[in-house]
Amino acid sequence: GLAAEAVAWLAGINILLALFNVLPAAPLDGGRLLRAAVWRRTGDPVRATVVASAAGRVLGWGLVALGLYLVLLGAGFGGVWLVLIGWFLVAAATVEGGQARLRELLSGVSVREAMSPDPVTAPASATVEDFLESPAFRYRHSAFPVVGDDGAPAGLVTLHDARAVPAAARATTRLAEVMLPLEEIPTAAPGDPLAPLLPALQAAPARRALVMEDGGLAGILSSSDISRITAWLTSGTPWGTRV
């Protein structure tokens, strides 16, 4: 009957999806298996990721080409769907490969070499009004570490969050009430390797990490710092000439 046909159709779709997912191309599960196999053979995780991502791009462009061909033949939605799936695979595989190359580029680089040292800090007891109106915080930065009365790091406040406080409440609202608490911010020591910190930095609410040393604040690390050091490394500029 109709119910049996529907169940059979769904079963067929699930089988096709399962088979598609094991194709050896990132970011599919089959791509993970390919990456593991290449890693085991070469001992190089970056090369393994690059190979899997390249396979993903090849598969993606192949699906895009097939989809366009089907559209020309009048397949309509089916062809468009293949184009969209292929485009997604190309984009995801490109990102995965780029991240692997970035980790390789930053291997051997410490947090100290990338961070912005001695950042301007804001006291947790300051009001939002004082924070927004003080010339000390009229920098090009959009986030500032917050410190307690003892000078110890307490969190991070962004201009966006501070400006979100209604104007009438800014004079009575403390930064401690609007800041991101320290528990929600990635932290690292100056001597830590930079590359392993990247995933946490990218997932952080403010895309920043605080660099701690001996219980105090040594610096701050942002995506801009990563971009800057990446540009230096790819340009071949000697470390001693950095400004």
Side-chain angles (χ1 to χ4, degrees):
L2 184 60
E5 291 179 1
V7 170
W9 182 81
L10 289 174
I13 292 296
N14 285 330
I15 291 173
L16 287 176
L17 289 175
L19 292 174
F20 178 75
N21 198 40
V22 297
L23 291 175
L28 304 175
D29 287 345
R32 304 284 181 258
L33 296 175
L34 174 62
R35 178 179 181 273
V38 176
W39 187 354
R40 183 175 181 178
R41 183 178 181 84
T42 65
D44 187 344
V46 174
R47 181 181 177 186
T49 302
V50 170
V51 169
S53 64
R57 289 194 299 273
V58 170
L59 176 61
W61 285 121
L63 290 176
V64 169
L66 178 59
L68 292 175
Y69 177 71
L70 292 176
V71 169
L72 292 176
L73 292 181
F77 179 76
V80 173
W81 186 242
L82 281 180
V83 170
L84 293 176
I85 293 176
W87 186 255
F88 166 77
L89 287 177
V90 170
T94 300
V95 169
E96 194 166 309
Q99 290 175 343
R101 290 187 178 90
L102 178 60
R103 288 193 296 270
E104 181 181 35
L105 181 66
L106 296 178
S107 62
V109 177
S110 69
V111 171
R112 186 190 306 276
E113 292 171 306
M115 72 180 189
S116 296
D118 303 319
V120 176
T121 60
S125 58
T127 65
V128 171
E129 182 177 74
D130 290 340
F131 172 69
L132 292 177
E133 294 183 357
S134 173
F137 302 109
R138 292 176 184 172
Y139 286 77
R140 58 185 177 86
H141 306 297
S142 59
F144 296 86
V146 178
V147 296
D149 294 336
D150 58 356
L156 186 77
V157 64
T158 66
L159 292 177
H160 177 271
D161 288 342
R163 289 168 178 160
V165 177
R170 291 177 180 176
T172 57
T173 303
R174 305 289 177 182
L175 291 185
E177 301 174 57
V178 298
M179 71 180 185
L180 291 167
L182 193 60
E183 301 78 36
E184 297 181 12
I185 306 167
T187 58
D192 288 347
L194 179 61
L197 184 62
L198 294 182
L201 185 65
Q202 293 168 350
R207 299 294 178 90
R208 286 168 174 79
L210 297 183
V211 185
M212 315 277 285
E213 188 172 32
D214 298 327
L217 183 68
I220 188 171
L221 187 68
S222 68
S223 55
S224 297
D225 295 316
I226 302 299
S227 298
R228 183 168 58 251
I229 196 169
T230 300
W232 279 325
L233 291 171
T234 53
S235 69
T237 303
W239 287 105
T241 63
R242 293 186 301 164
V243 293

